[in-house]
Amino acid sequence: MHNITVAIRVKPVQQSFKTIIVNGSTVTLLDPELEFNNPVDILKKNRIKDASYEFDLVFDQQADQKEVYEKSAEPLLDDLISGQNVTIFAYGATGSGKTHTMMGSQNQQGIIPRALNDLFGRLSKEQAAQASLTFLEIYNETIRDLLTGKLLDLREDGNKGLVVVNLFKAPVPSLNDINQYIKYGNSRRAKEPTGANENSTRSHTVLQLMLKQCTFTFVDLAGSERASQTTNKGQRMVEGAMINRSLLVLGNCIKALFSKEQFVPFRGSKLTRLLKDALQGNSKTVMIANVAPNNYEDSFNTLLYAHRTRNIDPTPNNFQEMIVQLREENEDIKRTLKKQNSQSKLQLQIEQQFKEQQRQEKMEKQQQQQQIQQIQQQQIQQQQAEKQAYDEEQIKSIILKQFAQESELIKQLFKLEDALMQTHLDIVEYQKQQSVQFQQKTEDLITKCTDSINNTENEQFEIAMKYKTILQQRRKIYDQCMQSQFQSVKDEFRKQVQNIEKMKGVQSEKREEVMKKFKELEIEHLKKISNQKNGNQPQIDEETLKEIKKNRLQSLNKQIKDGKL
């Protein structure tokens, strides 16, 4: 697609001139001099002739400002918002209506105010807040900032390309701000009256609105001048010469681009250096060539340059399409990187999940091992507890068996002791009831009791020997209990000992009662014997009494010696 659109606008004039005929998109220029007999005009005879050119847009004398804007500039706003650079510049001779086309008047606004008004109507608040504006002029090949008045210079930047050093960028978040800056800048623009135009602009102006990703550029060129027509002198003639020089370089650049020459002299002037991107197709560009029907030669030159500009082939240097292509490739790379990042994130997530799974499995394995160890420890503890309980019960069983045997022997001893004491009591009782009439019978009973005592004592001795053996076993059991870790075993041993001691205590009390009773009977018997000696009652012979007493004492001493009494 061709990035340069060329439009022709025919200036309305009051007199009727038929040098320019518009037919659709074709403009025909007629030579007004039909006769060449005049010697003054003989030089034009072989140079000037009728010519027809075809352009993208043609506006005749009846076209108003609105129509020019809507057909030439308004379609570029969509491209601008989408991120493409847009350039609009007016070209033509002095007095052909360039400034009127670009700026217009208060009642007939030109392209610049209309375009900016529509643009800010489409921008969002965020986009408008990022907008900034620069306004400069090129006067006598000197760049001046129209907003600050400072003189500036051009410089090539490795990253940004061609830049105007220290050019003031005014923030313009609203359309009102833009209008104030434009009005202020226009008031400082170099203007002087000439023979061709009473309000002739003596400089080229470049107004740029910079958005986030693109730039909207408006260029109002100073008109080419012919000294014979303007009658300029002095400073005005110098200004005209500098204007013509920069426009001549612009024409040469257009001619070189049209002819596809390898070298294009953009560095011939500061104007062409600034318009380089616009002419090479690196932005969407509209060139509005202004012609006046009353000036044939200037119109011929303007149409010739416009025709060449329209036929410039931007393909070899179509950097704008390259930029678009690079942007598309950049987006593809971003999508690829995003996809790769997504895959990397997914892969990282999978690796993390796998590691987490391994960690959980390791933890579960450790937990299982710990549970197995706990179960094994519990089993060992249970076995130990069971063994300890078994050992404890075994020892307790031995203790109980020991003390059961001991208790049984003690009971037997106590039983024999009771029988022995009862026999002694019976003897004393028999002695107390003894009389002469029953002496023989009493002696028989005593003899019988004495025999019983002897038998009991023999039996008691055998049991005592067994008890002695049992006591030796108890000592061994005691040592075993003291070395045991079971407190219950020790407590059980002490308990059984206390029971035995309790049994002995009860038997001791019983023995004391019997001995007390035995002593009472003994005393009573002795008293009775004493009474018999003093009285008339029959008495037992003294030898019998001594024998009885001797036997009784021997029996009692033996029991005491054996620990039975």
Side-chain angles (χ1 to χ4, degrees):
M1 180 181 179
H2 207 294
N3 286 336
I4 301 179
T5 300
V6 178
I8 300 297
R9 185 177 189 185
V10 181
K11 178 182 179 180
V13 292
Q14 295 179 353
Q15 290 130 349
S16 176
F17 292 94
K18 294 183 179 181
T19 57
I20 298 177
I21 300 175
V22 175
N23 184 13
S25 60
T26 302
V27 176
T28 302
L29 181 65
L30 299 178
D31 189 350
E33 296 188 14
L34 299 178
E35 296 181 357
F36 298 98
N37 295 325
N38 192 341
V40 177
D41 297 326
I42 194 66
L43 296 176
K44 301 179 182 179
K45 183 174 181 181
N46 297 324
R47 183 168 58 87
I48 299 177
K49 55 185 177 181
D50 298 345
S52 294
Y53 304 100
E54 186 173 354
F55 300 97
D56 298 304
L57 297 171
V58 177
F59 303 102
D60 58 15
Q61 299 183 44
Q62 283 74 37
D64 56 10
Q65 297 279 69
K66 182 179 179 183
E67 181 183 356
V68 172
Y69 165 71
E70 289 178 349
K71 290 184 178 180
S72 63
E74 187 179 20
L76 299 179
L77 296 183
D78 293 334
D79 296 324
L80 182 70
I81 294 175
S82 66
Q84 286 186 301
N85 295 328
V86 173
T87 301
I88 301 176
F89 71 94
Y91 179 86
T94 183
S96 60
K98 300 183 301 301
T99 302
H100 177 74
T101 299
M102 296 298 289
M103 295 301 301
S105 61
Q106 185 174 0
N107 297 328
Q108 297 183 7
Q109 290 184 339
I111 290 177
I112 293 177
R114 289 178 184 270
L116 293 177
N117 185 54
D118 286 355
L119 177 62
F120 268 75
R122 300 185 187 187
L123 294 178
S124 63
K125 291 183 178 180
E126 182 180 357
Q127 290 174 322
Q130 297 176 345
S132 60
L133 180 138
T134 62
F135 201 5
L136 62 84
E137 72 171 357
I138 302 174
Y139 174 74
N140 289 344
E141 281 300 295
T142 300
I143 299 177
R144 186 168 71 101
D145 192 334
L146 290 176
L147 300 181
T148 63
K150 295 181 179 180
L151 301 180
L152 308 175
D153 197 6
L154 291 175
R155 184 175 299 170
E156 294 287 344
D157 185 274
N159 297 324
K160 299 179 182 179
L162 184 68
V163 295
V164 181
V165 182
N166 297 327
L167 180 63
F168 175 66
K169 294 182 180 180
V172 284
S174 66
L175 184 62
N176 185 48
D177 295 328
I178 292 178
N179 290 333
Q180 289 181 356
Y181 280 119
I182 292 176
K183 183 178 180 180
Y184 177 73
N186 280 328
S187 66
R188 307 182 71 175
R189 187 176 179 182
K191 296 179 182 179
E192 294 294 341
T194 66
N197 188 354
E198 294 181 357
N199 194 24
S200 176
T201 55
R202 313 305 293 165
S203 64
H204 311 297
T205 59
V206 180
L207 174 70
Q208 285 189 319
L209 177 68
M210 286 157 287
L211 303 178
K212 184 177 181 181
Q213 295 181 345
C214 57
T215 302
F216 200 180
T217 303
F218 302 94
V219 181
D220 183 12
L221 299 176
S224 60
E225 296 182 351
R226 299 172 68 87
S228 60
Q229 294 179 349
T230 60
T231 65
N232 290 337
K233 297 180 181 180
Q235 182 62 27
R236 301 289 85 76
M237 181 176 291
V238 174
E239 292 172 352
M242 296 300 293
I243 292 172
N244 290 338
R245 176 187 171 187
S246 62
L247 292 177
L248 177 62
V249 175
L250 175 60
N252 291 334
C253 290
I254 292 173
K255 181 179 180 181
L257 291 170
F258 173 75
S259 303
K260 297 183 181 180
E261 296 178 5
Q262 293 183 354
F263 174 74
V264 180
F266 286 114
R267 301 184 67 86
S269 72
K270 294 180 179 179
L271 173 64
T272 51
R273 292 177 70 183
L274 289 174
L275 291 179
K276 179 179 178 180
D277 288 341
L279 293 175
Q280 281 190 320
N282 296 333
S283 70
K284 290 284 186 177
T285 303
V286 173
M287 173 185 178
I288 302 178
N290 294 266
V291 293
N294 58 349
N295 192 331
Y296 174 82
E297 291 185 7
D298 289 336
S299 297
F300 176 79
N301 291 329
T302 299
L303 291 176
L304 180 60
Y305 285 138
H307 173 69
R308 289 175 177 176
T309 302
R310 182 176 181 272
N311 289 279
I312 291 175
D313 185 3
T315 304
N317 297 318
N318 193 0
F319 296 119
Q320 186 65 28
E321 292 184 2
M322 292 174 62
I323 291 173
V324 174
Q325 184 178 0
L326 289 174
R327 285 179 179 173
E328 292 178 354
E329 291 178 358
N330 190 27
E331 292 299 324
D332 292 338
I333 292 173
K334 286 182 179 179
R335 285 191 292 269
T336 303
L337 290 175
K338 186 176 181 180
K339 186 177 180 181
Q340 290 177 353
N341 291 335
S342 177
Q343 291 177 351
S344 299
K345 289 180 180 179
L346 179 60
Q347 184 177 359
L348 180 61
Q349 185 177 1
I350 291 173
E351 290 177 355
Q352 291 177 348
Q353 290 177 352
F354 179 71
K355 290 181 180 179
E356 180 66 20
Q357 184 178 356
Q358 286 182 329
R359 189 182 67 82
Q360 290 180 356
E361 289 177 353
K362 185 177 180 180
M363 290 179 60
E364 290 177 357
K365 189 175 181 180
Q366 291 177 351
Q367 290 176 355
Q368 290 177 357
Q369 290 177 351
Q370 290 177 356
Q371 290 176 357
I372 292 172
Q373 291 177 355
Q374 289 177 357
I375 293 173
Q376 290 177 348
Q377 290 178 355
Q378 290 175 357
Q379 290 176 349
I380 293 172
Q381 292 175 357
Q382 185 177 359
Q383 291 175 357
Q384 291 177 349
E386 291 177 353
K387 186 177 183 301
Q388 291 175 356
Y390 176 77
D391 294 342
E392 185 178 2
E393 292 299 324
Q394 285 294 105
I395 298 174
K396 285 184 179 180
S397 176
I398 293 172
I399 293 172
L400 292 175
K401 183 177 180 181
Q402 165 67 27
F403 282 97
Q405 292 176 358
E406 189 174 342
S407 178
E408 183 63 29
L409 290 175
I410 291 173
K411 287 179 181 179
Q412 291 179 11
L413 287 173
F414 288 167
K415 186 177 180 182
L416 291 173
E417 187 179 0
D418 291 342
L420 188 61
M421 288 189 295
Q422 186 62 43
T423 302
H424 285 294
L425 289 175
D426 290 342
I427 291 173
V428 175
E429 187 68 30
Y430 290 153
Q431 290 175 349
K432 187 180 71 170
Q433 295 176 3
Q434 186 178 3
S435 63
V436 176
Q437 296 84 358
F438 301 100
Q439 183 175 0
Q440 185 63 39
K441 184 176 180 181
T442 300
E443 291 177 355
D444 294 340
L445 290 171
I446 290 172
T447 300
K448 186 177 180 180
C449 286
T450 301
D451 294 338
S452 176
I453 287 171
N454 292 331
N455 293 332
T456 302
E457 287 177 350
N458 293 332
E459 187 176 357
Q460 194 175 22
F461 178 76
E462 292 177 357
I463 294 173
M465 294 303 292
K466 293 180 180 179
Y467 184 69
K468 185 177 180 181
T469 303
I470 290 295
L471 287 177
Q472 292 176 352
Q473 293 179 356
R474 188 214 279 191
R475 184 63 187 177
K476 294 180 180 180
I477 295 173
Y478 172 78
D479 293 338
Q480 185 177 359
C481 289
M482 292 302 103
Q483 294 175 1
S484 174
Q485 60 179 341
F486 307 117
Q487 184 63 35
S488 61
V489 170
K490 299 176 182 179
D491 294 340
E492 184 65 28
F493 185 87
R494 294 189 184 97
K495 179 181 177 183
Q496 295 298 328
V497 172
Q498 290 174 359
N499 291 338
I500 294 297
E501 295 300 324
K502 188 176 181 182
M503 289 176 60
K504 289 182 179 180
V506 173
Q507 186 65 20
S508 178
E509 290 176 0
K510 189 176 180 181
R511 186 188 299 117
E512 288 178 0
E513 290 178 0
V514 172
M515 291 299 293
K516 184 178 180 182
K517 187 177 180 181
F518 181 78
K519 288 180 181 180
E520 289 176 356
L521 289 175
E522 183 71 18
I523 293 170
E524 186 179 350
H525 175 61
L526 292 175
K527 286 181 180 181
K528 184 178 178 181
I529 294 173
S530 179
N531 289 334
Q532 286 178 357
K533 288 181 179 181
N534 297 326
N536 298 321
Q537 293 181 2
Q539 296 181 2
I540 304 175
D541 58 346
E542 189 172 352
E543 292 181 0
T544 303
L545 181 61
K546 286 181 179 180
E547 185 68 25
I548 294 171
K549 201 170 185 179
K550 181 181 177 182
N551 292 334
R552 184 167 66 251
L553 288 173
Q554 289 177 351
S555 177
L556 290 172
N557 288 331
K558 185 179 180 181
Q559 292 183 41
I560 291 170
K561 185 178 179 181
D562 295 337
K564 299 177 182 178
L565 292 177

